[in-house]
Amino acid sequence: MIKLLTKRYLNVTLYIWLAFIFCSVFFIFYPQIDIYVSHFFYNGSSFYLKGTVFERFFYNSVKVLLTAFTLASLGIYLYNKMKHKNILNIDTKVILYIVLVLSIAPGLIVNATLKDHWGRARPVQIKAFGGDKTFTPAFVLSNQEGHSFSSGHTAAAFAFVGFALLARKRRKFWLTLAIMYGILVSFARLIAGGHFLSDIVTSFFIVWIATHIFYKLIFHKDSTL
């Protein structure tokens, strides 16, 4: 059984695929879990942790860090090409991988396809939390013209997993750091009423799976994780 669960499909272990399926089915059949979790951060009139230093810091940090990492990678790549160096092993394959990781998972799948067209209202917008829109379960198309499903910030934050996979040394350390950062950003969106738990979980799985698939396709080798 253990060997079966650790078997890889497109460089993604079977237990990750099964966990994604299980979570998706769970949120479909028990949609009220989203309301239940969000209620912990709602005091009857507002999401009381919205606007705190923690929430604002992690909300604003994503764009800054992702831009910095991307520009730094591009800058090092151009320097390597011009000076015939190999700093941090950033070559054409690495840049192609970074572009695919950022543009396909957080960009095309989460933001351009799901977030912009699914229509799910955010927690702060629904009637249960003082808004005027109707709650819609995850994975169900909505006419509420919201942008809750799935979480763009979560997807962008977990995209740092893609950078962590490139590490030649201490890869598990950098992966752990990337995952912790993604969790903190996701929590910041949850406590602010910006997203439901299912929005966050879905974005995590989309990015994790896509990132590992691109790693396999570009570098033609299995991750040891």
Side-chain angles (χ1 to χ4, degrees):
M1 177 62 72
I2 295 177
K3 287 185 177 180
L4 177 62
L5 291 177
T6 56
K7 188 173 182 181
R8 293 179 177 276
Y9 297 88
L10 294 175
N11 205 39
V12 180
T13 49
L14 178 60
Y15 73 83
I16 292 293
W17 290 106
L18 293 176
F20 187 22
I21 294 171
F22 172 81
C23 289
S24 300
V25 171
F26 180 81
F27 285 120
I28 289 172
F29 283 96
Y30 300 97
Q32 291 304 312
I33 191 68
D34 276 330
I35 302 290
Y36 177 77
V37 172
S38 291
H39 255 301
F40 282 107
F41 312 105
Y42 184 73
N43 62 8
S45 60
S46 66
F47 283 89
Y48 57 92
L49 293 175
K50 183 176 182 179
T52 58
V53 174
F54 172 87
E55 187 268 326
R56 287 288 89 191
F57 174 80
F58 282 102
Y59 177 83
N60 293 316
S61 69
V62 178
K63 185 176 181 179
V64 174
L65 288 178
L66 207 55
T67 300
F69 269 72
T70 303
L71 291 179
S73 299
L74 182 59
I76 294 172
Y77 166 73
L78 293 175
Y79 179 82
N80 285 344
K81 292 290 285 185
M82 291 187 293
K83 298 294 184 178
H84 304 288
K85 302 288 186 178
N86 192 30
I87 298 175
L88 297 178
N89 300 300
I90 297 180
D91 54 16
T92 303
K93 280 188 175 182
V94 169
I95 293 299
L96 174 60
Y97 166 74
I98 291 174
V99 169
L100 286 174
V101 166
L102 297 182
S103 62
I104 301 299
L108 180 61
I109 299 176
V110 172
N111 281 291
T113 302
L114 297 177
K115 189 179 178 72
D116 287 348
H117 296 93
W118 214 258
R120 189 187 200 190
R122 300 179 186 276
V124 72
Q125 296 175 314
I126 66 172
K127 296 174 183 177
F129 300 116
D132 58 0
K133 295 184 180 294
T134 301
F135 170 74
T136 308
F139 302 100
V140 176
L141 283 170
S142 174
N143 61 357
Q144 297 302 297
E145 300 180 348
H147 296 87
S148 188
F149 188 80
S150 59
S151 174
H153 268 74
T154 293
F158 278 112
F160 283 101
V161 166
F163 287 96
L165 285 177
L166 295 172
R168 296 289 182 90
K169 298 179 180 179
R170 304 184 69 187
R171 178 186 286 179
K172 289 187 177 180
F173 168 77
W174 294 114
L175 263 175
T176 300
L177 202 62
I179 292 170
M180 288 176 60
Y181 176 69
I183 290 173
L184 289 171
V185 170
S186 300
F187 186 64
R189 299 305 292 132
L190 184 67
I191 65 177
H195 287 286
F196 293 105
L197 179 63
S198 57
D199 301 327
I200 291 166
V201 172
T202 301
S203 284
F204 162 73
F205 279 114
I206 289 173
V207 173
W208 183 272
I209 290 171
T211 298
H212 282 74
I213 289 175
F214 289 135
Y215 186 84
K216 171 72 173 181
L217 291 175
I218 298 298
F219 301 107
H220 304 292
K221 58 184 178 181
D222 285 324
S223 167
T224 57
L225 299 173

